[in-house]
Structure formats: C-alpha cells, structure tokens
Amino acid sequence: PNLTLSPLCTVNSKFSDSKMRTTVDPRLNKPVSSPSFWTPYFQILPENILTPISFTEQELNLLKGTNLPDATRKIKAKLKNIYDILFPSLFERFPNLFHRSLFTYKHLLWAYQVFWSRALSVIIDGVQQAAMVPLGDMLNHSSMVSVSYFTDIQSDRFLLKTFSGITKGQQAYNNFGPRSNEKLLLNYGFVLQNNFADCFFVKLGMSNQDPHFEAKSRLMSAHNLTFEHYLTRGPTPIDVSLLNALRITLMNETELYFFGEEPIASFPPSHLFVSPRNEWLMISTLHRLLTNKLAGFETSIESDREALLNPSSLSTAHFLSVVCRLGQKEIIQNALQNYIPKFSSEYESTLFSSPQFKEFRGNSKPFPFKHCSNTIAYEKWLRNNATIHPSLSIAEFEGEKTFFITETIKEGSDLIVFPQSSLITLENILTDSPFGSKWKNHEESLGEENLILLFLMEERNKPKSKWGSFFKCLPPIHSPLMFPDSDMCELDGTLLYEEVTQLRSELVQESQSLFGELEELGLFESPVHNWNNYIWAKVLFESKVMSGEKDGQQICVIPPLAFNPKFHNWASLGRKYSGKEDAGVSIKNQISYPANSELMEGTNGQANHQLFLDHGVVLDSNRDDTLSIELNLGNDKMTLRREHVLKRFGIKMEHFLKIGKISPNLLAAVRVCVASKSELETLEQQKASIFHPITKRNEVQMTETLNNLLNGMLMGYSTTIEQDISVLRKGNISKNQQLSVLYRKGQKQIILHSLKQMEGVKQRLKNLS
C-alpha cells in the first residue's frame, strides 16, 4: 500500500481477492499457509482486543447497570450459534482448508472484534459496505480533528483526508464521530473520560395486553415516535420525543379519545400535552424509571470517581468499566437532580395561568381553618405511627376534615410516610391484632381480600386493634353503592343508576357466598356479618387499597389515612409502596403548596361517574367529567358493511361527550351509521374519509340524528338543569341527595354544551356545497 502523510492520506490496495489462500493464527500473529497480498498487514494485527466480548464474566459484571452486559451476551450467543451451525460442516467438507485447531470459537470472537474495531465504510463493486483498510484503519480516534474518508471509484482508491494540519512528529488521527462510551468500548475497546457525546439508552415499554395498545401504537406512529431513546449530557438530557412517547403510553381511554382537543396556552408546541393527570403521571413515571436505572448500578458515583484517582491500581478492563459506568450514572443523575425538577417547576408555572389552578392554589386571603377537637386522638396516633411533614396538620374547612399547610412545602416532599408495621395488610392484621387469633388458620380458604373485609367489618362494629383511632375517625362514606332507595331515586335517568343497581346485585351475591362459608366454619356473627357492614367495608377497601409487591408476591395494602384530601383536577399526590420496614408507603406532593393552603388530591383524569362510585365525591365543573354514549348500527343489509368501514378507521361504537369540542370520532361514527348505499360504496373504495363530510345529505342526516340523540338523553331525566340548580341553592337536602343532584346536573351540562357545539356543525352545513 502507498501512504502519503500530508493533508491527503491515500491508501491504494485491492479490496477483495478471490485467490486469497492465507490462514492467520492469531495466537502467533503470522500466517500458517502461503503468504498473500495482505500478509504484512495481518502480522501487525493485535493479538488481544479488549472489548467486552473478551471480558471474563467477572469483568463483564463490572459493567452491571449499563446496557453492555446484555448486548455483549447477545453478540456472543449469536456468534456461538453461527459457529455451531457453520463450522462443523466446514471441518467435514474442507478439512484441508479449515483446521479445527485454528478455527475455534475463541478465534471467531477474535476475528469479529478485529474486524469491527477496524472496519471503515467503503464502496466495493458499487456497493457500500464495511471493510478493513490496511494502514488506514491504524489511525487512532480524536474528536479534535476534522477528517473525511471516501472511496474514489474512478481511481479505485480509498481516500482519508484531513482538514486539520499535522505538525511533523505529531500523530495522525481519524475521527470516528460523536460516539458514546458504550459504543466506543463495545466496538473499539477504549473509552473517553468526560465524553461529551456520551449517552444512556432507555427503552420504554407498552404491554400488548393494554386494551388501548393499537390506538396508542397508531398515535405513536402518527407522531413519528419510538420506544427507544437516549439521555445525553448537558442541560437538556431528555429529548421531547421521550416525554411525548411516555405521555402516549400512559394515556387512559378518555385521554386517548379527546387527545389534542384541549391544548394549554403557552405550553410548548413540540410537547404533546394530554391532561394534568397524564403530565404528573409522566413526570413521576420518568423519575421512577431513572431512579430504578440508577439503583441498578452496584457502585456509587463517588466510589467510581475515587477509584479513578488511582488508575494504576486498576486492571485495564476494570478501568474501562469504571469510566463507562460512571458516565452513564452522571447522565442519569443530571436528569434526576436538574432536568426533571426544572421541567416540573416550569410546568407548574404554566398551570398558574389557568383560573382553575389559581383557585386550587388558594387566594392570598387566609382560609378559615379550624382545629378538629374530635380528631386529636387520631392525629396523635398518626404522629406516633407515621412520619408527617412538620408543615402538615389536620384541620376543618367548610365543615369537612382536611389537611392544612402551615408553611410552604416544596414539590417532591414526603408528606406522610407509613412504616410497614403501620399499614393494614393481611400479614399485619393476622399477626398484630386480636383478629389474627381467630382467623389466621383460614387464610387459604377465605383468601386475602375476604379476610381484610372481615377485619374491616369487625373494626367498624367494635374497634379492638391498634388501628382503632383510624376507624373511629373515619368520616361517612357517600358512595351510591350505599344509598338507601330514597336517595337512589335522585339518580334515576342516569347511567350511574343502572350501573349501581347491577353492582349491588353482584355484591349481594358475593356477600351471601362469604357469609355462607362463615356459617360452614362456625364463624358467622350476625351483629358483624351483615349487608350494611359488608358494603361499607367493600367501598372503604376499594377507595383506599393499593397494590404492592413483597417477597415477589402481589399484596393488598391500606394506608390508615382516615380521610382523603379533597379532590381537584389540577392537584397531584403520589403514593408509592416500597415494602421497606421504615417506609412502607410514602405520600408525596408533586407540586409545591404555599402556607395557609389546603392539601388536595388529584382526580387522575376521573370523571364524576368514577369519583362518585369509588370515593363518594362529585366535583362541580369537573373538567375531566364525561358522559358515555353508545351508538347503534341497527340490523339491516348494510350493518356488516358499516362495521367494516368503522373497523378500517379504528372507530368504535362507544363514545364520550365532555364540555369542549365534540370529538371527530363521534361525528365520524354517526356519518357511517346514517350512510346510504352509495355513500358506503364511496367509503369502501377509499374515495372519502369519515372524518370529513361525505355528502351534504349525509352531513344533514348526521347532524339531525346526533341532535335527536342528545335531546332524547336530556329528556330521559326527571328534572331540568334549572330545577337542579334551584335545589342545590336551597341547600335543605342530605349529603347523598346533594351529590346526586350535582352529578346529574354535570351530565346535563355536558349534553347541553354538546348541543351548542352542534350549532357550529349546522353553521358549517350552510357553507357546504
């Protein structure tokens, strides 16, 4: 080969030679058969290349926490598979060419490393591919030089050109480009300390068991998002694409349905804002994901930095591993300590522009909080059995118990931390209460949930356990599942009425089955084991239970928090079960709270329907409130054709209404429902989209049908919205009735707002030719 060491570095050689007959023994670093054109080149190839592929298993474990151990094992497994399939056949068919002593699996690993640590991109016979370029591939890497290399097809030469001057006596460098230490170590066997191009690979996941998997996947594709991302060094280590992908994977059904219709003013346009629930969940999920990644390393950042102060005491593999894993940890730590808190704070500032958010944060005027004399015993118990933030206390506001903020609490603070021993779990109630002596032998036959329900029923009847203060302080539960018939009539005409009736029927059967088992065991006690206690225990359980993992098993966990903070759309509290003795469940605030304000719980995107059923809560003007509406395709000759069209566009028959713009999905579905034979043919031939007017006839029919449907829903209520407002103003009704009237008023407001939106559709019809 001819090499000119000047700004133009030329290597002139043949890239391929079908007559090559040289076999190289890497142990001897010399050919063992007749010399070939490349023999001098082969003789200078290194005998040992220290990439992770050459690491021992013990050395590979030094990289635990990075992506390299898994990547390395996959490469080695693939090469072993190739060796096991290919070489036995070669040994048998060409014994003179393939000597077993030379073509070993170990030599295959060496060949793989020597090729990919030196390969450059060249054009051979018009095809761009990786190849070894003698002498040209000897140049070391420097990110400080400007170099380009290319194939000159006309002269059949490979050119490596430097745009940086090289002084006599200096080393000539190549520039491999910006590469992370993981790639440098895996491909070339070296790392760079403080590598500006270093990054940390993160792969998101989405279960194909998610009922909305296909819809989310389509949305990911529509926004050119993937599940694979990289965290980088610098002030913005997390790209917006990672945030957007996480937002989509965490969407619930309602958020998917109404996505893109309620943007927040001043929210960055590149960010796919979904809802406050989704945003707080995205932030907390990302924080938890990176915290777990950081915990996957077996050494700390400080210990790695200390080890690098004396590099001579480390083996080469150990040094390379420490530098690589340290860079990964520093990237994650920067994201956790700097970027996520900054992003969370900026999002919180954005929300300040919303009137609802200002209302949630409170006015500058102090609230008239009162100290609760009847909760003194519980608050004392809570402070003795949990760790409470010093600026948090129990008070009464507007006749209800709540948590009062005495001094400013920053976001991410531990508000209440329950140790494992203070939690209501099956293990605790069987070992640390009088209940256990009676029931511990029936765990297998009755099951976890039933035993906890029995414990709750007994404590309601007569508190005997160490959680007595908690049970005595529990406020009344206003779930419609517990309503007497006189209050249930207030829900007549609503979908909730039908659901509650069905659920109560199922729960009656469940309670009878449980009580029947107790009679067989001789443990049934009528004062305790009755329907009223059972439904109370069931609702309490569902409203407070958390799922946790302990010793590899999923368990039910109830934090003994006597009353939940009030709900608000903009609020957000994080609850986490760790299983640790000193911190079984921790409750954190995800936004800061000023002094003299009320701690609030986020609705987590729940409509009043779910809040009412699960928590006995209804919010006036709940921005997440929805009303489900199910269409009917009928049963005629064109029903199946309509179903196929809807399926092709990914549209279902169940839809949602909420205050705001009517979803294009609903309008599209009704267009298909009322489509004529010719209009269906147009859709089937893909000459039109159901998301736009098909014909003027179809659009008129769609508008009339939807208007009639909405008016019919409104007529199904026994009262008007004006009557509901009048009843609420008078205030001389029970809490159950108040919540019911508030709930049905919200449903009617959604229908009336949807009818108003349809006026806009009618207006567009006038302009439709």
Side-chain angles (χ1 to χ4, degrees):
N2 300 318
L3 172 67
T4 305
L5 275 179
S6 65
L8 178 65
C9 177
T10 306
V11 177
N12 184 13
S13 66
K14 295 288 183 182
F15 293 123
S16 61
D17 183 358
S18 60
K19 298 180 180 179
M20 181 182 128
R21 290 290 183 271
T22 302
T23 302
V24 178
D25 184 347
R27 297 170 299 177
L28 304 175
N29 238 1
K30 63 181 182 182
V32 294
S33 57
S34 57
S36 77
F37 178 77
W38 287 282
T39 296
Y41 170 63
F42 288 147
Q43 289 175 322
I44 66 167
L45 293 177
E47 183 175 349
N48 296 310
I49 304 170
L50 204 58
T51 75
I53 292 173
S54 295
F55 281 17
T56 65
E57 198 60 30
Q58 185 178 1
E59 289 171 335
L60 200 56
N61 285 333
L62 294 171
L63 289 164
K64 187 176 180 182
T66 72
N67 295 291
L68 285 178
D70 283 345
T72 301
R73 291 184 181 110
K74 286 178 182 177
I75 291 172
K76 293 177 76 171
K78 185 177 180 181
L79 291 174
K80 187 69 167 65
N81 188 51
I82 291 172
Y83 184 84
D84 290 342
I85 293 174
L86 176 64
F87 281 87
S89 176
L90 294 176
F91 294 148
E92 184 178 340
R93 295 179 62 188
F94 309 105
N96 295 330
L97 287 177
F98 293 92
H99 303 285
R100 291 178 183 273
S101 60
L102 296 179
F103 290 92
T104 65
Y105 174 60
K106 181 179 179 182
H107 293 160
L108 178 61
L109 293 180
W110 175 86
Y112 179 89
Q113 292 176 91
V114 80
F115 179 81
W116 286 111
S117 65
R118 308 177 81 82
L120 296 171
S121 179
V122 302
I123 297 176
I124 303 174
D125 297 331
V127 179
Q128 188 167 3
Q129 54 193 283
M132 297 174 73
V133 181
L135 192 57
D137 60 15
M138 288 178 60
L139 301 182
N140 286 326
H141 162 76
S142 172
S143 58
M144 304 303 292
V145 300
S146 179
V147 175
S148 71
Y149 53 82
F150 54 92
T151 306
D152 187 337
I153 299 175
Q154 292 182 345
S155 63
D156 194 24
R157 295 190 306 168
F158 178 84
L159 305 176
L160 194 151
K161 188 172 184 178
T162 176
F163 297 96
S164 305
I166 307 174
T167 308
K168 180 179 179 180
Q170 280 188 328
Q171 183 177 171
Y173 286 100
N174 191 355
N175 188 335
F176 299 168
R179 304 198 181 200
S180 69
N181 276 341
E182 279 194 334
K183 289 186 178 180
L184 292 176
L185 182 54
L186 185 61
N187 292 336
Y188 305 105
F190 73 90
V191 293
L192 299 174
Q193 289 186 261
N194 302 313
N195 182 0
F196 75 93
D198 212 2
C199 59
F200 181 76
F201 177 72
V202 173
K203 187 171 184 178
L204 304 178
M206 184 169 67
S207 171
N208 56 12
Q209 300 301 312
D210 185 333
H212 311 297
F213 178 82
E214 291 185 5
K216 291 178 181 180
S217 297
R218 286 195 298 269
L219 198 53
M220 292 277 286
S221 298
H223 291 278
N224 298 314
L225 296 171
T226 69
F227 293 106
E228 298 183 351
H229 301 269
Y230 290 91
L231 271 62
T232 59
R233 287 186 176 272
T236 312
I238 300 176
D239 188 75
V240 66
S241 62
L242 169 57
L243 303 180
N244 287 338
L246 200 51
R247 288 174 175 122
I248 290 175
T249 61
L250 295 170
M251 283 183 178
N252 61 24
E253 183 181 22
T254 308
E255 289 165 345
L256 267 171
Y257 189 83
F258 290 103
F259 174 66
E261 296 179 12
E262 294 181 90
I264 282 190
S266 77
F267 205 75
S270 58
H271 289 257
L272 302 178
F273 176 78
V274 179
S275 71
R277 181 210 77 93
N278 181 274
E279 199 68 10
W280 293 127
L281 185 57
M282 180 276 291
I283 293 170
S284 62
T285 301
L286 182 59
H287 191 279
R288 184 168 61 254
L289 170 67
L290 297 184
T291 299
N292 291 338
K293 291 288 186 183
L294 196 58
F297 293 90
E298 293 186 340
T299 58
S300 65
I301 289 177
E302 292 72 24
S303 64
D304 283 352
R305 286 173 178 168
E306 187 176 345
L308 292 178
L309 294 176
N310 188 17
S312 60
S313 65
L314 306 174
S315 67
T316 304
H318 197 165
F319 173 79
L320 293 171
S321 300
V322 173
V323 173
C324 182
R325 74 193 185 201
L326 174 61
Q328 302 277 280
K329 285 183 275 193
E330 287 175 336
I331 291 170
I332 300 171
Q333 186 184 61
N334 176 42
L336 285 169
Q337 294 185 353
N338 299 312
Y339 178 78
I340 293 179
K342 181 174 179 290
F343 179 83
S344 179
S345 178
E346 289 174 351
Y347 172 59
E348 185 179 332
S349 298
T350 302
L351 293 186
F352 262 113
S353 61
S354 164
Q356 278 194 315
F357 191 68
K358 289 178 179 177
E359 168 204 328
F360 151 61
R361 294 303 296 270
N363 306 314
S364 56
K365 212 162 54 171
F367 284 111
F369 289 104
K370 298 178 181 178
H371 186 69
C372 293
S373 56
N374 60 342
T375 61
I376 293 176
Y378 172 65
E379 187 168 1
K380 182 180 179 181
W381 180 90
L382 196 59
R383 295 194 181 278
N384 288 335
N385 292 276
T387 303
I388 303 180
H389 195 285
S391 298
L392 193 66
S393 67
I394 298 173
E396 188 174 305
F397 177 58
E398 295 180 345
E400 295 185 2
K401 300 178 185 70
T402 187
F403 287 98
F404 172 60
I405 311 297
T406 57
E407 299 292 340
T408 298
I409 299 180
K410 294 182 179 179
E411 69 274 6
S413 300
D414 282 324
L415 300 175
I416 303 175
V417 178
F418 290 99
Q420 181 70 27
S421 58
S422 294
L423 299 172
I424 298 176
T425 64
L426 182 59
E427 180 183 7
N428 285 346
I429 63 178
L430 290 180
T431 58
D432 198 21
S433 76
F435 178 86
S437 60
K438 179 180 176 182
W439 299 96
K440 62 183 178 182
N441 295 326
H442 304 286
E443 181 178 353
E444 188 174 337
S445 60
L446 293 174
E448 180 187 33
E449 182 176 330
N450 277 338
L451 281 172
I452 294 177
L453 290 176
L454 290 170
F455 170 73
L456 297 178
M457 284 188 271
E458 287 199 4
E459 289 295 300
R460 185 197 191 198
N461 190 60
K462 191 175 181 180
K464 298 177 183 177
S465 71
K466 68 177 184 180
W467 295 281
S469 296
F470 160 73
F471 286 102
K472 290 176 183 177
C473 199
L474 283 171
I477 300 175
H478 296 286
S479 169
L481 286 169
M482 299 178 62
F483 279 13
D485 292 342
S486 57
D487 289 339
M488 274 297 293
C489 67
E490 297 291 350
L491 292 171
D492 193 21
T494 68
L495 293 175
L496 188 58
Y497 182 91
E498 298 173 12
E499 184 174 352
V500 168
T501 303
Q502 178 63 31
L503 280 173
R504 286 171 75 166
S505 176
E506 293 171 5
L507 290 172
V508 165
Q509 292 179 19
E510 289 180 16
S511 67
Q512 290 174 347
S513 175
L514 175 60
F515 296 156
E517 286 186 67
L518 297 185
E519 285 182 339
E520 289 179 10
L521 294 170
L523 296 171
F524 181 78
E525 297 177 15
S526 56
V528 177
H529 306 135
N530 55 56
W531 165 251
N532 287 336
N533 282 342
Y534 179 84
I535 190 62
W536 175 88
K538 187 72 174 179
V539 172
L540 180 68
F541 177 85
E542 294 294 344
S543 67
K544 293 188 177 294
V545 72
M546 294 174 58
S547 178
E549 184 176 319
K550 189 177 182 185
D551 301 327
Q553 299 273 337
Q554 287 294 316
I555 64 170
C556 295
V557 180
I558 297 180
L561 201 61
F563 37 87
N564 289 324
K566 287 184 181 177
F567 285 88
H568 198 283
N569 293 124
W570 295 111
S572 183
L573 292 179
R575 287 174 167 83
K576 180 183 177 183
Y577 176 77
S578 68
K580 297 178 182 177
E581 180 51 45
D582 59 339
V585 168
S586 58
I587 301 175
K588 292 178 179 283
N589 59 312
Q590 293 184 302
I591 45 180
S592 61
Y593 279 87
N596 202 45
S597 61
E598 183 180 12
L599 183 68
M600 290 192 178
E601 177 80 83
T603 59
N604 290 325
Q606 294 181 94
N608 276 339
H609 182 98
Q610 206 62 45
L611 289 173
F612 199 7
L613 198 61
D614 292 346
H615 304 282
V617 171
V618 177
L619 298 185
D620 197 7
S621 304
N622 180 0
R623 71 181 301 277
D624 295 316
D625 204 10
T626 59
L627 175 62
S628 65
I629 175 172
E630 189 159 354
L631 303 178
N632 189 344
L633 283 174
N635 188 17
D636 55 31
K637 295 179 181 179
M638 294 191 291
T639 299
L640 283 177
R641 293 174 63 185
R642 290 191 175 104
E643 286 180 356
H644 290 152
V645 170
L646 288 171
K647 188 174 182 181
R648 180 161 61 85
F649 285 96
I651 301 296
K652 298 180 180 179
M653 296 303 291
E654 185 181 3
H655 297 268
F656 297 94
L657 298 171
K658 71 182 299 187
I659 291 180
K661 181 182 177 182
I662 289 183
S663 172
N665 289 346
L666 174 57
L667 300 180
V670 180
R671 287 187 184 109
V672 175
C673 287
V674 300
S676 65
K677 184 178 178 180
S678 60
E679 290 163 352
L680 272 177
E681 287 175 356
T682 302
L683 293 172
E684 288 167 338
Q685 295 168 7
Q686 300 187 22
K687 294 180 179 179
S689 169
I690 62 176
F691 294 105
H692 302 287
I694 303 168
T695 64
K696 186 169 184 179
R697 186 215 73 83
N698 181 272
E699 201 69 1
V700 169
Q701 187 67 42
M702 179 274 292
T703 306
E704 290 179 359
T705 301
L706 193 51
N707 261 300
N708 292 337
L709 180 61
L710 293 172
N711 278 308
M713 292 171 67
L714 202 58
M715 295 294 291
Y717 295 98
S718 57
T719 60
T720 64
I721 193 168
E722 291 77 17
Q723 289 172 327
D724 290 342
I725 293 171
S726 175
V727 168
L728 290 171
R729 281 177 180 167
K730 290 178 181 178
N732 55 346
I733 52 177
S734 68
K735 182 70 173 180
N736 289 350
Q737 292 171 326
Q738 178 195 10
L739 293 171
S740 299
V741 175
L742 197 59
Y743 168 76
R744 74 188 184 210
K745 178 177 79 78
Q747 302 286 277
K748 294 171 194 173
Q749 284 175 324
I750 293 173
I751 298 172
L752 288 169
H753 198 277
S754 298
L755 284 168
K756 188 176 180 181
Q757 294 297 312
M758 289 303 297
E759 293 299 320
V761 177
K762 290 179 183 178
Q763 187 62 40
R764 289 199 300 272
L765 267 176
K766 295 179 180 178
N767 303 323
L768 189 66
S769 58

